[in-house]
Every structure is written in C-alpha cells, then in structure tokens.
Amino acid sequence: MTTAASLSPAESTSSSAVDQLRAGLEDFGRRDQQIARYVIDHAEEIPFLSAGEIAESLAVSGAAITRFAQRVGFEGYPHLQRVIRQDLRATLGMKQPGSEDSVVARFWASEHANLEALQDIPEARLLAFARAIAAAKQVWVVGARSSYGISLLAETILASFRPHVRAYSADLLLSRPEQLLEVTPQDVVVAFTLRRYSRATTRMVRALHKQGVQVLLITDQGASPLSKVAHQCLQLPTHGTDVLASLAPFVSVITLLASLVAHELEGGHLKQAEALNADFGVYEY
C-alpha cells in the first residue's frame, strides 16, 4: 500500500495542517486517504476527539491513527491535534480592530443581515425545540465563557413560564460532577456553543447525553463538536464586526423560543410568578 507522504518542516510552517493534508490527499494510500478526509471534514472537532474516537468512527485501530499522523510528519496524533488546535485559534480567534471608518455602518449592516437570515429557520424546527423544553422535567441550560452569559439570559426568560430551569457554567459543572446525579432521562439540556468552542461545554454535555438527557444545541454556523450528539440543532448566523461575533441572533431566538414555550404551556406559571413579584414588592412599578 502506498503510504502518506511526509510533510517537511518548511511545509508545516507555510500552511495549515488541514491544507497540507488536502494538498497531499492523492498521494496517500486508501486507508490514509480515509483518515485524512475525516480529519479535513472534522477539523473543528479534532481538538476534542481522541485517536480512539476517530478510530471507532472509521472502524480502524487506534494504532492506525497514530501511524497516519507519523507518516504525514507529526510525532503522533496528539502532535497533529495540537497543531490543528493552533491553526484554529489563529483563524477563529478574536481579530484585531480595523480602521474606525464606517464601523457603525458595518455593524448595523451585519446585524440586519443576521436577523434576516434567522427567518430561514423552519418554523417546525423551532416548534420542536419549544415543545421539548416545555415537556421536560428539568431544563439544564449550559454554556461557558460568553456562552454562559447567553445561558443566564435563557434561564431568566424561560423561568418566567416553567419551573426547574437552571443555567450552569460548564466549567463549574466539571468541578462538581456530583450534580449529574440529579439528571433524569426526562430532562433536556439546552447547550450554547460559540467559536472558539469550550472543551468544558463539550465534555459536560456529552456526559449529560450519556445520562439519557435530550440535547438541544444552539450554536453558530461553524462545526460544533456537539453536533453529533445533539438530538436537535439550531445553527445561527453570527457574522459581526471586525472584533466580535454577533450575539443578537442568540437573544432573538431565545426570546422566540420562550414565546413558543409560553404558548405550549398556555402561559405556564407566569400569572403566579407575577403575583409573587407583587406580594414581595420586587418592582418599583
């Protein structure tokens, strides 16, 4: 069998690992082509996948993944994985601000385009999301870093209409895994992911999935590592300005889902909650 061509040090500094694999694909043997195509197609998931998980997906041995990485010029799979992670950080990380000219105009143009694109999400998919949230025994809302802020907003809005909604920081959940003992198969987890994808969110949501929880994923237009375990997925446009991705689509979809949940529950416990707010004088007016 023809083996994969080794990558020279000069090549490894001139382009990304995925670009190098793509360029050398035709020179690889049949099995190495299979592995290379998997790495190319799942590049954004590779930092989260072990060699064993890739081997299981391709029905090959873990040693085959290691040998492939070595044949294409890396010390082993962890080295290949590390280089791909660095490549992704370079391309998906926060950009430096550009010139100030037309920053405001570009911002509103991108926000407008994102919100228009949201209208392409099928109504049936949104209804299915809302019905799963409405029917769940408990709703685990999980995110990390900026996505955790989105999770807190989702908790606040959804808790107005149904009980047992709780936002969790994926990082804190990892430090207290005993909370998984509270999980039931009747629960759902609403997971928020936004590039760069948090390893903590990936690990925790996969753990919840193994407990039998239904996974509802709300993510950006990238290749979230959780897309394979998600029972339902909403991919939102997040094109932003030079520096930051847009969060407006997440806020809009959360608000819409809460409205649909309220409709499913015929208002839920909103009236009782408002009565308690009045009794305790929560609001000035």
Side-chain angles (χ1 to χ4, degrees), residues 95 103-104 106-108 110 238-246:
K95 300 177 183 178
V103 169
V104 173
R106 290 201 309 273
F107 175 83
W108 290 122
S110 63
T238 58
H239 303 294
T241 58
D242 294 339
V243 184
L244 296 171
S246 173

Side-chain angles (χ1 to χ4, degrees), residues 30-98:
R30 181 181 59 81
R31 176 170 292 178
D32 284 341
Q33 280 191 352
Q34 180 188 22
I35 297 171
R37 286 196 176 97
Y38 186 93
V39 173
I40 292 167
D41 292 342
H42 300 82
E44 293 186 16
E45 299 176 48
I46 293 300
F48 307 95
L49 296 175
S50 67
E53 288 172 317
I54 296 175
E56 184 178 353
S57 297
L58 297 176
V60 300
S61 67
I65 307 299
T66 299
R67 289 194 295 268
F68 165 79
Q70 292 170 339
R71 281 195 290 269
V72 298
F74 298 92
E75 296 171 7
Y77 175 71
H79 184 203
L80 171 61
Q81 190 180 40
R82 187 167 64 251
V83 171
I84 289 177
R85 182 184 293 116
Q86 291 169 349
D87 291 340
L88 289 171
R89 283 176 177 168
T91 57
L92 301 178
M94 189 176 291
K95 300 177 183 178
Q96 294 300 315

Side-chain angles (χ1 to χ4, degrees), residues 1-248:
M1 180 183 77
T2 303
T3 60
S6 178
L7 303 175
S8 70
E11 289 176 312
S12 65
T13 59
S14 62
S15 60
S16 73
V18 169
D19 288 339
Q20 295 167 48
L21 292 178
R22 190 178 286 112
L25 198 58
E26 297 305 316
D27 297 326
F28 297 170
R30 181 181 59 81
R31 176 170 292 178
D32 284 341
Q33 280 191 352
Q34 180 188 22
I35 297 171
R37 286 196 176 97
Y38 186 93
V39 173
I40 292 167
D41 292 342
H42 300 82
E44 293 186 16
E45 299 176 48
I46 293 300
F48 307 95
L49 296 175
S50 67
E53 288 172 317
I54 296 175
E56 184 178 353
S57 297
L58 297 176
V60 300
S61 67
I65 307 299
T66 299
R67 289 194 295 268
F68 165 79
Q70 292 170 339
R71 281 195 290 269
V72 298
F74 298 92
E75 296 171 7
Y77 175 71
H79 184 203
L80 171 61
Q81 190 180 40
R82 187 167 64 251
V83 171
I84 289 177
R85 182 184 293 116
Q86 291 169 349
D87 291 340
L88 289 171
R89 283 176 177 168
T91 57
L92 301 178
M94 189 176 291
K95 300 177 183 178
Q96 294 300 315
S99 70
E100 294 182 4
D101 295 343
S102 303
V103 169
V104 173
R106 290 201 309 273
F107 175 83
W108 290 122
S110 63
E111 291 293 86
H112 185 265
N114 286 334
L115 294 175
E116 276 201 334
L118 288 181
Q119 298 178 64
D120 294 333
I121 300 175
E123 183 176 340
R125 189 176 301 171
L126 292 163
L127 286 170
F129 247 74
R131 286 166 181 160
I133 293 170
K137 182 177 180 180
Q138 300 180 92
V139 180
W140 299 62
V141 190
V142 176
R145 299 175 68 85
S146 61
S147 297
Y148 178 52
I150 299 171
S151 300
L152 288 170
L153 176 64
E155 175 196 58
T156 300
I157 298 176
L158 289 171
S160 297
F161 305 107
R162 57 146 298 150
H164 308 302
V165 179
R166 177 78 183 274
Y168 296 88
S169 162
D171 298 292
L172 291 178
L173 271 177
L174 276 180
S175 69
R176 296 185 58 195
E178 67 273 13
Q179 291 185 73
L180 292 177
L181 297 174
E182 303 172 20
V183 175
T184 76
Q186 291 77 44
D187 297 348
V188 301
V189 54
V190 179
F192 292 97
T193 62
L194 184 65
R195 289 180 294 183
R196 297 173 289 179
Y197 305 119
S198 163
R199 179 177 293 146
T201 303
T202 301
R203 289 184 62 189
M204 185 48 58
V205 173
R206 283 179 173 167
L208 288 163
H209 178 259
K210 288 181 180 179
Q211 297 283 95
V213 175
Q214 184 179 178
V215 176
L216 307 179
L217 176 63
I218 304 179
T219 186
D220 59 13
Q221 64 271 33
S224 171
L226 293 173
S227 58
K228 286 192 174 181
V229 301
H231 297 84
Q232 299 185 50
C233 178
L234 292 176
Q235 283 190 291
L236 311 184
T238 58
H239 303 294
T241 58
D242 294 339
V243 184
L244 296 171
S246 173
L247 299 182

